Amino acid sequence: MTTRFELETLKIRINDIEFAALDLHQRIQRALRGLILEGALAGGIKLPASRALATSLGVARDTVENAYVQLQRDGYILRRKGSGSYVADRLGAELRGTAQRRIRAQAQKRGNPEPGEGLSLRGRTLFDNGGVSDQQAIKAFATGLPETRSFPLQVWERLQRQALKEHRGNVLLHGDPQGSEALRKAIATYLNLERGAKVAPEQVLVLSSTRQALFLCAQMLVDAGKPILMENPGYFGAKKAFEAAQARIAPIDVDAHGIRTDLLRADRSGASCLYLTPSHQYPTGATLSLERRLELIHWAAENGKWIIEDDYDSEFHYDGLPTACVQGLDPNRRTLYIGTFSKTLFPGLRIGYMVLPPELVAPFSAARSIIDGHTPQTLQLTLARFMGDGHYNAHVRAMRKLYAGRRACLLEAIGTHLAGIVTALRPPGGLQIPCVLEPGWSEQQTQRLAARAGIQLPGLSRLYAGEYKQQGWLLGYSSLTTSEIEAAIRQLAKALK
């Protein structure tokens, strides 16, 4: 070993936790590379022979030899037969020596970079607005999380094996950006029979999520900085997706019958699109009346507006039959319909879809091909079989019955244990219940007390635009058993009282 070769430093680097998952020869190679780039091993310096370094490190010679071979391939060292191995002298001063020390000194002077430093204006805006935190575990009172513990996984796995056997290597290739024809046919059949829609398979675009659909709508239909109309209160995920596309939110108030069409007619914002959740308004649970649906359709046609209908959980309607979707009532083809399997099946599936007016199918499919290409073919083909064999409808019916019982349990528990603190509304369907706090209680106060007991209370106020923000909670119940609901409400009542 030469006096300039830092053996002890090399040993420390090799054992660094950063390299723990690497093979030994990779760790030696990475450690030597770091010393070269930092200038600790200057250009032209002779490295120890592989046998000598192996002895010093207590490893096999082949291990060091493999590290040297990789360093030579990457251009960090030169190996001369009969002479030895040398640090390459052509790496450039900018990678080592005084220049590298100067860069480190400047970095220390600036201090640690702030989160988001160096972003574009668009990137900074997205970061400052925050992301969307999806619940990744079953706990009270997560919203929009379906029952997953009783999902028929064995049936799903069997159908997946069948799909793989039938299509073999084709599923390993790129898929159609618009989606598998088999799945598009299954979706169209389901919507026409169950939701009163008017859909041809050619109008269906298979996507990864509702938020991707909303992002596409904003990108394709709204210019940057221009407004898009949205219910107030409304779905925060939609707000984030629109903001990500640099659209500006123009809120329209809702009441007990859904979005107020009188405010739509009076709107002068210049927005070209309206996003709404007519079957179960998010978060109030109101169902848009038939009269207002027809007014909405007439307004869109008369003013050349697009309607973005998010039908996120209409399958779960407990008080009577669900109302037919707006898309099926719209003869003017101004409605873009969005659906998802995250609520009816499981969120890890990552499959949603849009039903588009015919003239928008090609543009939206092209845009989707740029974003992420296509949805995994194996999942699409498995889902198509799951729907075609009747398992999907059977599962939805079972979950509808299950959720109705869990909703009744939550309503009863709130009335028994939280009387005088909140009043629970009773939406006709959905997977969560909005609760309005009684005078004298604040949302932040209750959230803070609940957090001490290990309970996270999703707040209502964050879903409102403007100065007025309703104080309350939005309690999800669909992923919890009745005993878990009862225990969580008792625990919450104890924390608050």
Side-chain angles (χ1 to χ4, degrees), residues 448-460:
R448 187 168 57 252
L449 293 171
R452 293 177 184 172
I455 296 176
Q456 185 177 356
L457 290 178
L460 272 181

Side-chain angles (χ1 to χ4, degrees), residues 388-497:
D389 291 355
H391 301 295
Y392 181 74
N393 282 352
H395 182 70
V396 168
R397 286 194 298 269
M399 292 301 101
R400 187 183 297 130
K401 182 178 180 180
L402 183 71
Y403 297 158
R406 292 179 177 182
R407 181 187 70 153
C409 175
L410 179 57
L411 288 169
E412 183 178 354
I414 292 172
T416 301
H417 303 293
L418 296 175
I421 300 177
V422 292
T423 297
L425 306 182
R426 186 187 174 92
L431 305 178
Q432 51 270 325
I433 291 178
C435 301
V436 177
L437 283 165
E438 298 291 345
W441 292 90
S442 76
E443 187 175 290
Q444 286 187 340
Q445 174 195 20
T446 56
Q447 287 176 323
R448 187 168 57 252
L449 293 171
R452 293 177 184 172
I455 296 176
Q456 185 177 356
L457 290 178
L460 272 181
S461 62
R462 64 190 175 125
L463 306 177
Y464 283 79
E467 293 184 4
Y468 173 77
K469 297 183 185 297
Q470 178 68 65
Q471 298 286 296
W473 317 322
L474 188 63
L475 302 185
Y477 57 83
S478 48
S479 62
L480 304 173
T481 65
T482 53
S483 59
E484 289 171 339
I485 290 171
E486 178 72 22
I489 289 294
R490 285 180 178 272
Q491 186 178 358
L492 176 59
K494 183 179 180 181
L496 298 182
K497 293 179 180 179

Side-chain angles (χ1 to χ4, degrees), residues 1 5 7-8 11 48-59 64:
M1 302 292 283
F5 190 84
L7 176 61
E8 293 304 318
K11 289 181 178 179
S50 58
R51 188 185 302 277
L53 183 56
T55 300
S56 300
L57 295 176
V59 300
V64 175

Side-chain angles (χ1 to χ4, degrees), residues 32 36 41-47 75-78 80 85-91 96:
L32 285 169
I36 292 171
L41 296 176
I45 189 175
K46 184 177 182 179
L47 298 177
Y76 290 99
I77 68 173
L78 301 174
R80 299 167 188 161
S85 301
Y86 299 82
V87 176
D89 201 26
R90 66 177 187 276
L91 291 177
R96 61 180 196 274

Side-chain angles (χ1 to χ4, degrees), residues 194-344:
E194 301 294 336
R195 295 297 299 121
K198 295 178 181 178
V199 184
E202 294 75 25
Q203 293 176 256
V204 178
L205 174 62
V206 179
L207 299 168
S208 65
S209 66
T210 294
R211 288 200 286 270
Q212 185 182 51
L214 296 172
F215 178 77
L216 275 173
C217 288
Q219 288 279 12
M220 301 298 289
L221 304 177
V222 184
D223 289 323
K226 297 297 183 179
I228 185 167
L229 299 171
M230 181 175 169
E231 298 165 314
N232 180 39
Y235 174 45
F236 60 91
K239 180 175 182 291
K240 295 295 185 183
F242 296 147
E243 289 174 343
Q246 297 181 288
R248 180 166 53 85
I249 307 299
I252 300 291
D253 290 346
V254 303
D255 60 20
H257 303 287
I259 195 166
R260 289 181 52 185
T261 48
D262 60 320
L263 298 180
L264 277 181
R265 291 193 299 270
D267 175 68
R268 298 295 181 268
S269 68
S272 60
C273 299
L274 163 67
Y275 166 81
L276 78 166
T277 51
S279 295
H280 294 143
Q281 200 281 324
Y282 191 96
T284 66
T287 297
L288 188 65
S289 65
L290 177 59
E291 180 183 359
R292 290 192 184 181
R293 288 173 187 245
L294 298 176
E295 286 183 33
L296 176 64
I297 291 168
H298 179 73
W299 167 84
E302 188 177 48
N303 296 282
K305 311 290 188 183
W306 294 109
I307 300 169
I308 304 172
E309 178 182 12
D310 187 351
D311 211 28
Y312 63 101
D313 69 355
S314 61
E315 290 84 359
F316 303 120
H317 197 93
Y318 315 120
D319 300 337
L321 296 175
T323 307
C325 64
V326 173
Q327 191 271 351
L329 300 173
D330 183 4
N332 309 304
R333 304 193 309 192
R334 303 298 302 176
T335 302
L336 293 77
Y337 179 95
I338 298 174
T340 179
F341 294 101
S342 292
K343 304 292 189 293
T344 53

Side-chain angles (χ1 to χ4, degrees), residues 151-152 154-168 171 180-187 341 345 349 351 377-395:
F151 182 79
Q154 290 183 332
V155 173
W156 183 269
E157 290 169 349
R158 174 171 55 81
L159 296 176
Q160 183 167 274
R161 288 193 299 270
Q162 292 176 4
L164 286 169
K165 184 177 181 180
E166 179 178 343
H167 296 275
R168 295 188 178 277
V171 299
S180 156
E181 182 180 9
L183 181 55
R184 288 189 283 112
K185 286 181 177 179
I187 291 172
F341 294 101
L345 297 181
L349 181 58
I351 294 184
Q377 293 200 77
T378 303
L379 293 177
Q380 291 190 69
L381 294 169
T382 304
L383 177 54
R385 286 175 175 268
F386 193 80
M387 298 180 76
D389 291 355
H391 301 295
Y392 181 74
N393 282 352
H395 182 70

